[in-house]
Amino acid sequence: MFRAILLEKDDQGFRAGLTELDEARLPEADVLLAVEASTLNYKDALALTHRSPVVRLWPMVPGIDGAGTVLHSAHPDWQPGDRVVLNGWGVGETHWGCLAERARLKGEWLVRLPEAFTARQAMAIGTAGYTAMLCVMALEDHGVTPGSGEVLVTGATGGVGSVAVALLARLGYTVVAATGKAAEADYLQALGAASVLDRAGLMAPGKPLQKERWAGVVDTLGGVALANACAQTRYGGTVAACGLAASMDLPTTVAPFILRGVTLAGVDSVMAPRAKRERAWARLARDLDPALLARMTDEIPLGEAVFERAAAIMAGGFRGRTVVGIA
Ligand code: NDP
């Protein structure tokens, strides 16, 4: 038996709670993992609060991220005792996830835990931090360098935003952190933001082309904020779009793209190929300051606190990253 969060939906409606499950109920896959830590991302909060149709198989053990030790493997790449990290691949959506003491996962989904990180640190990073790294890599791949000019990060106090600010600042970029939480300016500056911008200025519809300011953007909001970010991006700049915390829409025109050569670079973490994940995790081990990671992270146990934190994340009032300690 193992402890797990279980989400159920049937004729009686939606139910969620901590329960004990038989290992025989775990889905088919070639690696059995003893989960040491998991985390709560925005998508986990959506699933736990049943706010949007993240879960597509019922009942579901949520948890899109996990880190721990291989207990059993029928996959050639993994042996018992190997330390691994899992992000995405539909885990916690269509395949039982990692808010549990055990997970059975496909070996091809796993990445070796970098030696620089404990399982808890890997989960402090989680999909949010790994996505922030993918965004930084997208900017770099499109030629945005620290010398190019200011880089805007939206949703800056969130998980993706906090890690993006810390990474970009450490790499030498001049980071402008846009937030709706004026009281968190000190937090963002401690992570390395050169200045803090009131999110409200990005949330009102603006002209198709605005004063050129950003050499690069990491956008977690979507909607009008992303449209304004594109309209304010300098000639030849790049906007890495990874989120929809404000909106799924994109009410923009083609003007920034055809008149300023702006690149809108889409960033997906869920189905990203393994080589790209390994590159991102190696870069995180090199470029993320562990002291800043600790500063943005808070740990909760597997239990009722998971649901309380998910509600806080959905209310947009939580800052940074959550680790769910499991073993
Ligand atoms: P968090 O909840 O940690 O952070 C989101 C931040 O966005 C908040 O802290 C807040 O920042 C801001 N925000 C929240 N609600 C609103 C709102 N209604 N309007 C405007 N701003 C808002 O989420 P994550 O950082 O984990 O994820 C951010 C986004 O990125 C989500 O949409 C998530 O689904 C997406 N994502 C996508 C991935 C991919 O593979 N493409 C992977 C990971 C995440 P502040 O108060 O500082 O402005």
Side-chain angles (χ1 to χ4, degrees):
M1 301 296 283
F2 67 97
R3 291 184 315 133
I5 302 280
L6 193 68
L7 308 180
E8 295 173 278
K9 194 171 98 168
D10 53 26
D11 297 347
Q12 293 153 40
F14 173 75
R15 293 183 306 287
L18 183 68
T19 187
E20 293 234 326
L21 297 171
D22 193 322
E23 233 173 73
R25 287 188 65 186
L26 284 167
E28 281 297 305
D30 47 13
V31 175
L32 178 66
L33 186 69
V35 183
E36 209 174 297
S38 185
T39 178
L40 292 184
N41 297 282
Y42 189 83
K43 194 185 265 179
D44 297 306
L46 285 171
L48 287 159
T49 57
H50 197 42
R51 284 280 187 92
S52 86
V54 167
V55 174
R56 278 166 285 143
L57 177 78
W58 302 93
M60 176 56 61
V61 174
I64 69 169
D65 289 327
T69 304
V70 172
L71 289 176
H72 173 81
S73 171
H75 189 282
D77 290 358
W78 305 111
Q79 311 297 324
D82 284 346
R83 310 269 292 148
V84 297
V85 58
L86 175 282
N87 304 111
W89 292 115
V91 172
E93 302 179 57
T94 55
H95 185 103
W96 278 15
C98 298
L99 284 166
E101 289 171 333
R102 295 284 182 275
R104 203 177 281 139
L105 303 163
K106 289 192 184 175
E108 67 202 50
W109 293 340
L110 303 173
V111 167
R112 203 167 292 281
L113 183 67
E115 294 219 341
F117 297 131
T118 63
R120 278 171 164 74
Q121 284 172 315
M123 289 297 97
I125 295 168
T127 281
Y130 141 67
T131 301
M133 190 72 240
L134 292 177
C135 290
V136 171
M137 286 159 49
L139 297 185
E140 291 174 345
D141 290 348
H142 288 92
V144 181
T145 66
S148 304
E150 292 178 305
V151 174
L152 173 69
V153 176
T154 65
T157 67
V160 176
S162 293
V163 178
V165 169
L167 283 171
L168 287 163
R170 187 138 194 238
L171 289 165
Y173 290 86
T174 305
V175 183
V176 178
T179 182
K181 304 184 190 81
E184 298 292 356
D186 288 349
Y187 165 76
L188 290 167
Q189 272 157 352
L191 296 185
S195 58
V196 176
L197 191 73
D198 183 349
R199 180 219 285 164
L202 288 167
M203 301 299 283
K207 291 184 181 161
L209 288 176
Q210 301 170 32
K211 190 164 182 287
E212 292 180 54
R213 181 160 181 194
W214 318 116
V217 178
V218 173
D219 179 66
T220 66
L221 302 185
V224 171
L226 176 55
N228 282 326
C230 291
Q232 295 168 10
T233 295
R234 282 161 57 165
Y235 194 93
T238 296
V239 178
C242 74
L244 42 58
S247 173
M248 181 88 157
D249 292 340
L250 181 49
T252 186
T253 73
V254 297
F257 314 112
I258 64 170
L259 298 177
R260 289 185 180 159
V262 168
T263 298
L264 182 57
V267 172
D268 167 64
S269 66
V270 181
M271 303 305 288
R274 198 166 163 191
K276 194 170 191 181
R277 291 165 186 264
E278 287 168 347
R279 192 175 144 221
W281 276 99
R283 287 288 308 274
L284 284 159
R286 194 190 82 182
D287 296 330
L288 185 60
D289 179 349
L292 291 185
L293 183 64
R295 190 179 179 120
M296 66 179 84
T297 307
D298 173 44
E299 180 169 333
I300 58 173
L302 187 69
E304 196 48 42
V306 165
F307 296 99
E308 288 161 16
R309 182 57 55 86
I313 290 172
M314 288 322 304
F318 183 70
R319 167 190 111 175
R321 299 279 304 135
T322 301
V323 168
V324 180
I326 295 179

